[in-house]
């Protein structure tokens, strides 16, 4: 049986900082690297070892975990010179938990295999709350044996841990999740835009419909925050735009026609262009003039 002890963790932002903390709590020997060091400070103070580069963080580890921002960041940390593929020891497990492109996940899997490394794509759902509470859903693509070996890592950070199939299948499943959220959130925003335009009291409408058939996580958690005037990000609008762009681009490649997804992406791009990219996704209410 493979024993996993040493973990290199790259990307200690909203999600990664909490997730790396859970791995420390579970007894793993954690080293960290992040582009902005200050975001790893709390982990360093708890005993995580700081590394000055991606390569240093990958070297000699049993497992290397990444949760960075965009596909371009994933490409850089894995495939760039001195990156993870160049630096990890033979036999190491590489786990990308960023929401990224399934096509890139397949490319990383092939590059890793050529160097006797085990790569899986393992994006997550459950948001910042799920990261903090170690209740994430983890969607895994790659070799099933690797999925099984990595169970102690996954169970330290999540609850619903699902093997979806070969390399890229985790990212494809995450795209399905984001596509469903896009339509739901836009629908919720349109309901409140209609309420406001037609002269109703938005709060009364919320109380009437949020717990019925129109209720959803997007209604009671995401839109609720925005209705309260809180636009702090649990999940940033610019990352949502990135996810929907992955969805639209790969949908075209796979031959799926998704008109609502394209429309919501257009709305998000407009909000980003107006300087709202760092706000939470509840800022979609602003597009509709509800807030
Ligand atoms: P975040 O706070 O921006 O964290 C990403 C971290 O990765 C940042 O601290 C960033 O450094 C670091 N980073 C980016 N590129 C890097 C590179 N090349 N080398 C080293 N570090 C790098 O974002 P997040 O909310 O944690 O999200 C991370 C990923 O998880 C995204 O793909 C997002 O779509 C996905 N996700 C987020 C949520 C959520 O609710 N927040 C839920 C599910 C999935 P800097 O500090 O310098 O920017």
């Amino acid at each position: 049986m493979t024993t996993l002890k040493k973990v290199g963790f790259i990307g200690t932002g909203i999600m990664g900082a909490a997730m790396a903390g859970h791995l420390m709590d579970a007894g793993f020997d954690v080293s960290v690297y992040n582009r902005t060091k200050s975001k790893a400070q709390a982990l360093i103070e708890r005993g995580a070892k700081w590394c000055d580069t991606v390569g240093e963080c990958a070297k000699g580890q049993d497992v290397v975990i990444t949760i960075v921002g965009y596909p371009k960041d994933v490409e850089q940390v894995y495939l760039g010179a001195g990156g993870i593929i160049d630096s990890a020891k033979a036999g190491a497990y590489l786990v990308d938990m960023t929401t990224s492109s399934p096509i890139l996940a397949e490319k990383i899997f092939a590059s890793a295999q050529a160097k006797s490394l085990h790569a899986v794509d393992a994006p997550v759902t459950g948001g910042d709350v799920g990261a903090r509470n170690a209740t994430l859903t983890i969607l895994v693509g790659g070799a099933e044996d690797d999925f099984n070996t990595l169970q102690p890592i996954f169970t330290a950070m999540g609850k619903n841990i699902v093997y979806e199939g070969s390399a890229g299948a985790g990212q494809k499943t995450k795209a399905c999740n984001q596509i469903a959220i896009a339509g739901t959130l836009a629908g919720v925003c349109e309901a409140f835009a209609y309420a406001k335009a037609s002269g109703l009291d938005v709060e009364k409408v919320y109380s009437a419909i949020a717990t019925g058939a129109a209720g959803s996580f997007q209604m009671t958690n995401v839109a609720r925050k925005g209705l309260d005037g809180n636009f702090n990000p649990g999940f940033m609008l610019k990352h949502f735009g990135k996810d929907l762009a992955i969805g639209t681009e790969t949908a075209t490649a796979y031959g799926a026609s998704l008109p609502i997804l394209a429309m919501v992406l257009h709305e998000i791009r407009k909000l980003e262009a107006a300087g709202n990219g760092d706000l939470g996704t509840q800022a979609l209410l602003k597009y509709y003039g509800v807030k």
Side-chain angles (χ1 to χ4, degrees), residues 29-209:
D29 177 359
V30 176
S31 299
V32 291
Y33 173 73
N34 193 60
R35 189 168 51 198
T36 305
K37 186 177 178 182
S38 59
K39 293 186 189 169
Q41 200 53 44
L43 292 164
I44 297 166
E45 280 163 19
R46 285 187 50 198
K49 178 178 175 283
W50 170 254
C51 302
D52 283 321
T53 63
V54 168
E56 191 189 325
C57 196
K59 204 174 162 188
Q61 310 291 355
D62 301 320
V63 184
V64 182
I65 299 176
T66 50
I67 181 155
V68 290
Y70 297 85
K72 68 175 167 42
D73 300 316
V74 174
E75 185 151 22
Q76 184 194 11
V77 298
Y78 279 89
L79 303 174
I84 296 168
I85 301 275
D86 275 356
S87 310
K89 68 175 183 190
Y93 290 80
L94 314 180
V95 184
D96 183 32
M97 306 189 84
T98 316
T99 303
S100 176
S101 155
I103 294 162
L104 178 57
E106 288 169 12
K107 196 169 153 189
I108 290 169
F109 179 85
S111 301
Q113 210 172 32
K115 292 207 134 183
S116 303
L117 299 162
H118 306 263
V120 298
D121 47 297
V124 301
T125 73
D128 58 329
V129 178
R132 279 198 301 278
N133 297 338
T135 54
L136 292 168
T137 292
I138 306 178
L139 311 163
V140 186
E144 193 162 10
D145 282 351
D146 296 345
F147 168 78
N148 291 332
T149 303
L150 286 162
Q151 282 302 310
I153 294 282
F154 292 142
T155 53
M157 299 183 283
K159 282 272 178 280
N160 184 18
I161 298 151
V162 190
Y163 178 66
E164 299 289 350
S166 60
Q171 295 295 356
K172 288 178 188 168
T173 309
K174 174 73 190 200
C176 296
N177 186 74
Q178 302 307 80
I179 291 162
I181 287 176
T184 309
L185 179 59
V188 168
C189 291
E190 289 200 353
F192 293 125
Y194 180 91
K196 190 173 173 184
S198 65
L200 292 173
D201 177 335
V202 169
E203 280 308 319
K204 271 195 176 171
V205 173
Y206 179 92
S207 308
I209 72 173

